Amino acid sequence: MPVELRKGQKVNLSKSVESNEFIINLNWTQTIKKKGLFGTTKSQAVDLDLGAFVELSNGKKHCIQALGNSFGSLTDVPYVMLDGDDRTGESTDGENLRVNGKMSSNIRRLLIYTFIYEGAANWQQVDGIVTIKCPGADDIVIKMDEYNSNNNMCAIAQITNIDGNFSVEKLVNFFSGHELMDKHFGWGFKWTVGRK
């Protein structure tokens, strides 16, 4: 049975992540309703992107996301890979980050985030849900259930490796861009404008 996290709540991931791949899935409502002139309503597609900041045990840091074509690698550094870019939300599988559990000793922490690449920042209608799937364990569900933000970026969760034990904490904090989110969590990347 899935375990749904509350904001600020931390849970340990299954020990089986050490020998298996685990998946972080983002799914969302593909279109939202937008009010037009004269009270008309039209549908608008929303392109939501999943990404992660990854810090390795040697201190090296990586940014995994479709923007900038930085999809990562499962078999090489940073052992985290984005499996594609769903620009419409029409894929029933959404977007997935795959993490190589066999290399878990090399991973110190991950910051999981999403941002609205195209479309209005209407998080309530987008109804984003992140599910962490570990072999042999219940799914962990993180709902993006705070809607009072016009910012287009959301830090969803942080996964931390302490002495070989992964724990996940629900964040759901909103920011106006990558750089502000980075500063808030102290990652220290240097940012430039990117395109898909």
Side-chain angles (χ1 to χ4, degrees):
M1 186 168 196
V3 176
E4 183 179 335
L5 292 190
R6 299 181 307 274
K7 184 162 182 169
Q9 182 183 7
K10 283 185 186 178
V11 296
N12 288 330
L13 298 182
S14 166
K15 288 293 283 180
S16 65
V17 302
E18 293 177 4
S19 56
N20 293 283
E21 175 185 316
F22 67 96
I23 294 173
I24 301 157
N25 172 264
L26 170 67
N27 238 313
W28 68 96
T29 302
Q30 62 188 18
T31 56
I32 63 172
K33 302 294 183 188
K34 188 176 179 184
K35 288 198 173 183
L37 294 174
F38 311 113
T40 59
T41 303
K42 62 179 182 176
S43 295
Q44 178 185 19
V46 177
D47 181 7
L48 212 61
D49 281 356
L50 178 64
F53 294 166
V54 182
E55 183 179 4
L56 300 178
S57 55
N58 62 7
K60 300 271 185 184
K61 296 174 183 175
H62 303 264
C63 179
I64 307 300
Q65 61 181 21
L67 187 63
N69 292 316
S70 181
F71 287 89
S73 172
L74 202 58
T75 56
D76 202 352
V77 170
Y79 313 111
V80 178
M81 185 177 82
L82 181 64
D83 70 0
D85 179 20
D86 177 13
R87 294 195 177 204
T88 63
E90 290 177 359
S91 168
T92 55
D93 295 333
E95 291 190 4
N96 295 291
L97 282 164
R98 299 165 59 198
V99 182
N100 185 344
K102 291 178 181 176
M103 303 303 292
S104 60
S105 62
N106 294 288
I107 301 171
R108 181 176 293 160
R109 63 178 173 147
L110 298 98
L111 179 69
I112 309 304
Y113 62 86
T114 186
F115 60 96
I116 298 175
Y117 183 74
E118 286 183 347
N122 187 330
W123 293 102
Q124 186 168 9
Q125 286 191 47
V126 168
D127 195 25
I129 296 176
V130 165
T131 306
I132 301 172
K133 303 176 182 201
C134 297
D138 293 332
D139 290 352
I140 297 170
V141 174
I142 300 170
K143 291 184 178 177
M144 298 172 62
D145 50 7
E146 294 187 22
Y147 308 126
N148 58 346
S149 178
N150 293 321
N151 291 327
N152 67 346
M153 175 158 252
C154 180
I156 301 168
Q158 185 158 258
I159 298 174
T160 309
N161 183 359
I162 299 174
D163 298 326
N165 295 313
F166 278 105
S167 67
V168 58
E169 177 185 5
K170 178 176 178 176
L171 301 172
V172 188
N173 293 346
F174 294 91
F175 301 90
S176 61
H178 288 75
E179 193 165 358
L180 288 175
M181 183 177 72
D182 177 331
K183 284 181 181 175
H184 181 83
F185 292 103
W187 281 77
F189 287 111
K190 293 182 180 170
W191 295 98
T192 58
V193 175
R195 292 179 183 269
K196 290 204 277 186

